[in-house]
Amino acid sequence: MLIKRLFAAALIILGAVGAIQARNGLYDLYKTTNLGNRPYFGVRASVGYAYPYQIKFARIPLSSKATGLDYSIMGLFRAPIDNHWYAEPQIEVYFNNLETTGTMSEEVAHEGITKATLRTIGIRVPIAFGWRVNVSSNVQLSLFTGPEFDFRIKTWFHPDRPSNIFKGTTARPLYGDYGVDLDLRSGAGLTFGRYYVGASFAWKLCKITRSDYGAKRQRLAQITLGYNFKPL
């Protein structure tokens, strides 16, 4: 029993020492001002062009593809890993308005539907991992990639003519109203002082829930403007 207690005490002491050293190391890193790589919060606004394919609604195939604009606002936290690498958890609220442009499925074509629009409100949670370098004393270049969780909260479907095809469906999602997808987002950005401009591209890897309400194989190109608050 005594040996176990001594062993447990030693583990606690070692853990405490390690935590103090890690804290001091992070503190020294975060206070490194000559490289400008300190943690901060930021905000972003983006406009994008979405052109997904394999569009479904209520588990019924709708169209081979669609196009439309995507608007979003985002908050983020930049957490440096070392002098060049960083992690950046983000949360983004979006709205997109898509119109089918591809071949309509046999099910909806039989109803006389030739095109339809889908409007979606949702939340994306990207977790970016990136590399940054100073281009000049006031300009930084960032390259990043990482997973993105896409929570479709609400989707409105509007065909070009009245239809009963989606009435009476028993399809129900597991989370929220319209399911969760896993995307991959990659991009690049330039930071001028506290101002940011960048571009990114996201595409769907897989769906996490079984819901096919408003489901699509996402492809989204975005242009982003932002502001970074004072470093911590």
Side-chain angles (χ1 to χ4, degrees):
M1 183 66 68
L2 178 61
I3 293 176
K4 289 182 178 180
R5 290 179 180 178
L6 289 175
F7 183 69
L11 288 178
I12 292 173
I13 293 172
L14 289 174
V17 171
I20 292 172
Q21 291 179 340
R23 180 184 181 279
N24 290 337
L26 289 174
Y27 180 83
D28 292 339
L29 173 62
Y30 287 175
K31 293 299 182 182
T32 302
T33 57
N34 58 330
L35 293 176
N37 198 26
R38 292 166 57 186
Y40 58 78
F41 290 95
V43 292
R44 303 284 187 265
S46 301
V47 60
Y49 178 73
Y51 56 109
Y53 61 103
Q54 295 181 7
I55 314 299
K56 292 183 180 181
F57 190 82
R59 296 187 181 177
I60 297 177
L62 181 62
S63 175
S64 61
K65 58 184 177 179
T67 60
L69 295 179
D70 182 284
Y71 306 92
S72 65
I73 55 175
M74 172 194 292
L76 60 86
F77 177 71
R78 169 70 68 90
I81 297 175
D82 62 16
N83 287 333
H84 293 285
W85 297 93
Y86 65 89
E88 195 173 86
Q90 309 162 353
I91 184 166
E92 179 181 48
V93 179
Y94 71 88
F95 168 79
N96 60 42
N97 184 25
L98 304 177
E99 182 174 307
T100 57
T101 57
T103 303
M104 303 300 289
S105 68
E106 182 177 348
E107 292 93 329
V108 295
H110 182 73
E111 295 281 312
I113 299 174
T114 59
K115 65 179 180 179
T117 59
L118 288 94
R119 298 182 176 93
T120 301
I121 291 177
I123 296 174
R124 301 187 186 108
V125 183
I127 304 174
F129 298 93
W131 177 82
R132 58 165 289 280
V133 64
N134 291 332
V135 177
S136 67
S137 60
N138 200 41
V139 180
Q140 296 178 2
L141 169 67
S142 300
L143 303 175
F144 60 87
T145 189
E148 171 183 275
F149 298 93
D150 184 348
F151 299 85
R152 299 187 305 277
I153 296 175
K154 183 69 174 178
T155 295
W156 295 268
F157 168 74
H158 299 282
D160 60 350
R161 58 167 295 164
S163 172
N164 295 322
I165 187 172
F166 298 109
K167 291 184 178 180
T169 177
T170 58
R172 292 258 67 90
L174 298 180
Y175 300 107
D177 283 339
Y178 295 94
V180 185
D181 293 335
L182 175 63
D183 304 334
L184 179 67
R185 179 185 289 195
S186 302
L190 288 171
T191 302
F192 302 88
R194 294 188 185 177
Y195 296 93
Y196 172 88
V197 59
S200 64
F201 183 78
W203 59 96
K204 178 178 173 180
L205 297 177
C206 64
K207 61 183 180 181
I208 297 177
T209 66
R210 289 186 174 184
S211 171
D212 280 332
Y213 272 75
K216 52 190 176 293
R217 298 288 292 181
Q218 180 67 281
R219 293 180 296 188
L220 174 64
Q222 287 182 306
I223 296 176
T224 302
L225 299 176
Y227 180 79
N228 302 324
F229 296 105
K230 183 178 179 180
L232 303 179

